[in-house]
Amino acid sequence: MSDHREIAVTVNGRRYREAASDRMLLSDFLRQRLGLTGTHVGCEHGVCGSCTVHLEGAAVRSCLLLAAQADGTELRTVEGLASGDRLHPLQEAFREHFALQCGFCTPGILMAALDFLAHNPTPTRREIAEMLSGHLCRCTGYAPIIDAIAAVAGTGTTPEVTS
Amino acid sequence: MKPPPFRYVRPDSLEEALALLATHGDEAKVLAGGCSLVPMLNMRLARPEVLVDVNRVGGLAEVRADNGDVTTGAMLRQSAFERSPQLRGALPLTAACAPYIGHFVTRNRGTVGGSLAHADARGELPLVLLTLGGSVLAESRRGRRSIAAEDLFLYHFTSALEPDELLTDVRWPAAAPGWGYGFAEMAQRHGDYALAMAACALRRRDGVVAEVRLGLGAVADRPLLAGEAAGVLVGQSLDGAAGDEAVREAASLAAAAAQPFEDLHASVAYRRQLVSLLSEQVIRQGWLDADDRAGEGGP
């Protein structure tokens, strides 16, 4: 019953066309069909935030979307942030502020934070903390993540990051 | 944690979507934002045979203002209530609840119609629509009907929509001069399911409460209107000692009207206490907000 179909997507500016079953999640499609394993899969029910990617410019949970729903769309994943060896300013800030340890939650937080900053370029620490309520991190205690996002906010680096 | 097999269909038009629902009836499930349905699929709590994805049906996310109402298309994303100045101005109570709906990222995808049709007793949008006295439009091949919020939410996860019906529009009474609004929620962490929430729409005239609606969420199998509690406020000024007394009495009647359940997170007694506290907060917010808006010219 679960038919396979061709899914055509543009991810980080590159075009892909791969088969997926109707019930394949977008998170699994990115990882298993496209080999883009930077997008992490944690809870698979929209709670942990680690699978967050950009769909047509907006941060979404890729575990709450079917691959079939993304057909014909443009996506951006954590692999699309750095330019060559040069980290994205937000990635750089995460490194400077020790905002990651094991790194499992980091790709999702980066993608969410970029969309968040695009809509709210000068957030308060409280607003950043509320945004982070959608992301589980078991290493950092969150404070360094808030530091990193606050450091980048309002520095003029955010408009460039909206996809 | 993967969805069970189903047939995925993606209609481009409303006619096509309604035809699919007419054919498949309760074997079909409408896929809107997917923030509740996809977790239920992943956890195998839902096993529809056909998934009707309405995300590419045109014309379902429009916003119109007419006759003191704002009508939003069912597929409007929840984030619109936070970001659109027009919606924030016309629907302040909906905008006030919006930051509590899930998380920043899920609101990018979650839809207003999906949340209402899902009829989660802990949902913010169902509570606000009920408190405002709004309604929805449901369409099927048999025709189109309006369902008042009071008749829409039957019990937890169950709405009055028939299997062949698609919720297409939501009609919200817009903010009017003299009215004030309040929303408050208690959850263990921001974005978690609420332990209790309350919403208030209050009209102030000649220094007293002329009209008031108090809604309670997450403390029964559907959102509730606390009519008796609201009743004691009418004709009262909520300033001063007499006002405090009236607000306390309303809050205690609201706590009595709640039908909370007990789980490992909170006891019935604690949830009732929250209802009392949150009711007090939203009534006061509504009263002060109505005063702030009085400058806009009263009726």
Side-chain angles (χ1 to χ4, degrees):
Chain A
M1 194 170 98
S2 207
D3 312 71
H4 277 66
R5 66 177 76 210
E6 288 276 300
I7 308 293
V9 287
T10 303
V11 188
N12 305 324
R14 184 178 155 189
R15 295 171 73 169
Y16 296 85
R17 179 180 287 273
E18 291 291 335
S21 71
D22 280 355
R23 69 190 185 101
M24 184 173 231
L25 298 172
L26 177 59
S27 45
D28 288 336
F29 181 76
L30 289 168
R31 291 175 56 84
Q32 296 167 19
R33 292 288 187 270
L34 308 190
L36 295 170
T37 52
T39 298
H40 291 168
V41 171
C43 72
E44 294 191 313
H45 61 286
V47 173
C48 79
S50 60
C51 69
T52 302
V53 301
H54 291 187
L55 172 79
E56 303 291 357
V60 297
R61 301 273 201 253
S62 62
C63 78
L64 298 186
L65 281 152
L66 303 168
Q69 291 186 275
D71 187 29
T73 66
E74 188 154 344
L75 297 158
R76 196 178 195 204
T77 65
V78 70
E79 287 93 341
L81 296 187
S83 331
D85 290 340
R86 198 164 53 86
L87 290 179
H88 184 281
L90 186 62
Q91 291 174 308
E92 197 58 62
F94 267 57
R95 187 163 74 174
E96 277 169 27
H97 291 271
F98 301 96
L100 69 156
Q101 188 176 317
C102 84
F104 193 90
C105 66
T106 313
I109 294 178
L110 290 170
M111 300 314 286
L114 291 177
D115 188 24
F116 171 73
L117 290 172
H119 287 96
N120 185 359
T122 53
T124 62
R125 288 182 70 88
R126 188 187 167 84
E127 287 170 334
I128 297 171
E130 277 192 9
M131 184 278 288
L132 282 174
S133 71
H135 296 265
L136 295 182
C137 172
R138 302 291 81 158
C139 301
T140 63
Y142 299 100
I145 302 177
I146 297 174
D147 292 341
I149 295 171
V152 165
T155 59
T157 53
T158 45
E160 177 254 332
V161 299
T162 54
S163 32
Chain B
M1 296 297 286
K2 309 292 179 191
F6 50 75
R7 191 157 76 82
Y8 171 82
V9 283
R10 192 173 60 211
D12 292 315
S13 69
L14 184 60
E15 294 67 37
E16 216 183 318
L18 298 181
L20 284 161
L21 293 178
T23 304
H24 298 290
D26 56 11
E27 288 173 353
K29 197 84 188 146
V30 175
L31 175 59
C35 294
S36 300
L37 177 56
V38 178
M40 290 172 84
L41 291 171
N42 290 357
M43 291 189 269
R44 309 280 172 118
L45 296 171
R47 289 174 174 273
E49 283 188 25
V50 182
L51 216 50
V52 182
D53 178 2
V54 294
N55 280 278
R56 299 201 193 180
V57 172
L60 283 184
E62 281 158 23
V63 175
R64 296 187 307 277
D66 44 13
N67 289 331
D69 290 336
V70 173
T71 301
T72 59
M75 289 302 288
L76 189 74
R77 308 291 167 181
Q78 292 151 1
S79 56
F81 292 111
E82 295 169 281
R83 294 181 192 158
S84 153
Q86 182 204 355
L87 287 174
R88 290 177 66 92
L91 303 176
L93 187 58
T94 322
C97 87
Y100 295 92
I101 308 169
H103 303 286
F104 166 76
V105 172
T106 61
R107 292 193 291 276
N108 273 343
R109 191 71 193 164
T111 66
V112 52
S115 173
L116 296 170
H118 187 51
D120 190 318
R122 304 157 298 182
E124 285 80 8
L125 291 172
L127 170 64
V128 167
L129 190 72
L130 178 73
T131 304
L132 292 176
S135 61
V136 300
L137 278 184
E139 206 158 330
S140 71
R141 289 190 103 178
R142 296 173 290 121
R144 183 181 233 224
R145 64 174 175 141
S146 169
I147 308 173
E150 268 142 283
D151 303 321
L152 180 64
F153 310 111
L154 301 183
Y155 43 90
H156 200 28
F157 297 136
T158 307
S159 78
L161 291 165
E162 297 293 338
D164 65 340
E165 283 182 317
L166 183 69
L167 195 164
T168 56
D169 291 283
V170 186
R171 189 190 61 80
W172 308 85
W179 284 86
Y181 305 92
F183 180 87
E185 162 172 329
M186 177 63 81
Q188 286 173 308
R189 287 160 297 268
H190 190 94
D192 278 12
Y193 289 120
L195 296 174
M197 53 188 163
C200 178
L202 181 153
R203 186 162 69 92
R204 179 167 170 163
R205 192 160 71 173
D206 302 331
V208 297
V209 175
E211 213 177 325
V212 57
R213 290 167 70 92
L214 176 65
L216 310 176
V219 288
D221 60 0
R222 60 184 183 281
L224 299 176
L225 280 178
E228 204 188 334
V232 305
L233 300 170
V234 176
Q236 301 276 343
S237 162
L238 302 188
D239 292 329
D244 288 347
E245 184 59 36
V247 173
R248 272 197 299 272
E249 191 188 345
S252 114
L253 286 168
Q259 301 150 23
F261 54 90
E262 179 156 325
D263 62 15
L264 77 166
H265 301 302
S267 65
V268 166
Y270 178 61
R271 282 189 161 94
R272 280 197 200 282
Q273 199 181 336
L274 285 179
V275 170
S276 169
L277 184 76
L278 298 173
S279 295
E280 239 185 88
Q281 282 177 15
V282 298
I283 293 165
R284 288 193 189 287
Q285 284 170 18
W287 174 252
L288 295 174
D289 188 40
D291 195 32
D292 287 346
R293 286 165 192 279
E296 297 165 24

